[in-house]
């Protein structure tokens, strides 16, 4: 009846993984932000489930952490819209509160993902690297893996960027959150003159901006290519916290904001 029901067969978008701008229509081409269920019902399911004895099962813990990740991810789209509205209406205090809440949820989603090893970029990237014994080929596999899940290609002129987006630990904290930080920082720089911000490209592909046509998208391009070039996979923090303990903490922390939206 909720996120895994037959009515949820829509290719649903993720605000967390969407390339920031003031008018986001999609994460990847042809997906949608329409959600055929109530996010509060999904939260209630998680709360009920982790109170039972089944929480000792590792697969169950993995599934519940993924569902709570979805709950938190769902909150980000209305938060993004509210922060962007506050920018255009010059509501400084509200903008700061909303944008900071957005970024804090991103970091907490990453923390939640780190409780389960195979919910992390490191786990999947390392599996890709192990496909070869050659150091040179391993490096090639690694950069292709990172490209596939981000820019996709061709570099500097991609129309399919974020087509294979993933809410994975590591990517959330070091890739997606950095893009959103740059977005909110740029908006803050234009607070006295919001109409001068031109972040929607003249050319649109699949109802999304051209990859590097606006000032903001060029700065995002720099963040993305730098990350692909310099990212070093490390298992730091993965599996160090208990999934159920982190879930309970995040539910208590974010239930008011989930109920608000």
């Amino acid at each position: 009846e909720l996120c895994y029901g037959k009515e949820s067969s829509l290719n649903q978008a993720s605000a967390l993984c969407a390339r920031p701008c003031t008018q986001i229509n999609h994460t990847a081409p042809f997906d949608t932000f329409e959600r055929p269920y109530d996010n509060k019902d999904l939260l209630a399911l998680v709360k009920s489930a982790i109170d039972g004895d089944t929480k000792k099962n590792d697969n169950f813990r993995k599934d519940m952490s993924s569902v709570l990740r979805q709950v938190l991810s769902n909150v980000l789209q209305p938060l993004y819209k509210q922060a962007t509205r506050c920018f255009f209406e010059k509501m400084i205090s509200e903008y700061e509160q909303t944008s900071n809440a957005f970024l804090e949820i991103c970091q907490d989603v990453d923390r939640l993902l780190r409780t389960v090893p195979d919910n992390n970029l490191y786990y999947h990237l390392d599996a890709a690297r192990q496909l070869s014994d050659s150091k040179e080929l391993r490096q090639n596999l690694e950069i292709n893996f990172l490209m596939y899940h981000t820019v996709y290609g061709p570099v500097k002129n991609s129309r399919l960027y974020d087509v294979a987006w993933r809410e994975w630990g590591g990517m959330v904290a070091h890739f997606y959150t950095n893009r959103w930080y740059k977005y909110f920082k740029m908006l803050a720089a234009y607070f006295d003159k919001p109409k001068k911000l031109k972040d929607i490209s003249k050319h649109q592909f699949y109802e999304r901006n051209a990859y590097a046509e606006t000032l903001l998208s060029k700065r995002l391009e720099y963040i993305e290519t730098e990350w692909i070039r310099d990212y070093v996979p490390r298992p730091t923090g993965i599996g160090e916290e208990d999934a159920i303990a982190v879930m309970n903490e995040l539910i208590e922390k974010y239930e008011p904001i989930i109920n608000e939206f």
Side-chain angles (χ1 to χ4, degrees):
E1 296 176 357
L2 299 172
C3 59
Y4 297 127
K6 63 180 180 180
E7 300 301 325
S8 296
S9 58
L10 297 170
N11 185 17
Q12 293 181 49
S14 164
L16 171 57
C17 302
R19 202 164 191 246
C21 68
T22 55
Q23 296 177 27
I24 294 176
N25 298 311
H26 307 278
T27 304
F30 310 118
D31 61 16
T32 176
F33 282 102
E34 180 182 346
R35 192 175 65 237
Y37 59 88
D38 192 321
N39 204 35
K40 293 187 285 292
D41 291 339
L42 199 58
L43 175 63
L45 182 150
V46 178
K47 289 177 64 177
S48 175
I50 63 177
D51 279 342
D53 291 337
T54 319
K55 66 185 182 183
K56 297 177 182 177
N57 181 285
D58 287 342
N59 287 329
F60 177 81
R61 295 157 75 89
K62 175 184 175 183
D63 286 344
M64 284 302 101
S65 66
S66 292
V67 177
L68 183 57
R69 169 205 51 77
Q70 186 65 58
V71 172
L72 295 173
S73 180
N74 288 342
V75 174
L76 293 176
Q77 204 248 352
L79 272 176
Y80 145 76
K81 292 176 73 174
Q82 182 168 307
T84 303
R85 178 178 61 82
C86 290
F87 162 71
F88 283 112
E89 295 180 6
K90 299 184 179 181
M91 301 164 64
I92 298 176
S93 178
E94 293 84 351
Y95 172 78
E96 289 180 348
Q97 292 175 5
T98 312
S99 58
N100 286 337
F102 185 105
L103 295 172
E104 187 170 356
I105 290 175
C106 290
Q107 294 292 350
D108 280 334
V109 167
D110 193 82
R111 178 189 171 198
L112 175 63
L113 290 165
R114 288 201 305 270
T115 64
V116 179
D118 53 351
N119 282 344
N120 288 268
L121 172 63
Y122 175 85
Y123 177 92
H124 299 282
L125 181 58
D126 191 58
R129 296 176 74 249
Q130 298 307 320
L131 294 174
S132 174
D133 294 328
S134 160
K135 179 180 179 182
E136 182 178 356
L137 185 53
R138 280 190 174 193
Q139 291 176 336
N140 190 43
L141 288 167
E142 181 176 317
I143 197 166
N144 274 280
F145 185 90
L146 296 176
M147 283 283 294
Y148 175 79
H149 289 95
T150 53
V151 176
Y152 196 84
V155 178
K156 294 186 178 297
N157 193 32
S158 175
R159 297 185 182 183
L160 294 176
Y161 57 84
D162 295 326
V163 71
W165 59 267
R166 293 289 186 274
E167 291 184 357
W168 280 337
M171 279 197 77
V172 170
H174 302 128
F175 184 79
Y176 296 124
T177 304
N178 282 345
R179 293 201 309 193
W180 278 107
Y181 176 78
K182 177 62 70 175
Y183 170 76
F184 290 127
K185 185 177 181 180
M186 175 168 276
L187 262 58
Y190 279 83
F191 226 100
D192 293 333
K193 48 195 178 210
K195 292 184 179 180
K196 290 189 176 181
L197 175 66
K198 307 296 182 184
D199 72 316
I200 305 302
S201 65
K202 179 180 179 181
H203 299 96
Q204 294 281 303
F205 302 100
Y206 308 112
E207 298 183 301
R208 302 188 306 163
N209 282 335
Y211 182 64
E213 190 172 300
T214 68
L215 177 60
L216 173 60
S217 62
K218 289 176 181 177
R219 291 181 177 178
L220 294 176
E221 177 196 19
Y222 178 81
I223 290 173
E224 293 160 349
T225 53
E226 181 182 50
W227 183 81
I228 292 169
R229 184 186 68 239
D230 298 337
Y231 177 72
V232 178
R234 294 188 178 94
T236 308
I238 296 177
E240 293 181 1
E241 289 194 278
D242 177 72
I244 300 296
V246 172
M247 280 188 271
N248 279 319
E249 182 182 332
L250 296 183
I251 288 170
E252 181 179 0
K253 180 178 181 179
Y254 290 116
E255 187 166 13
I257 197 170
I258 291 167
N259 289 331
E260 180 182 350
F261 291 106

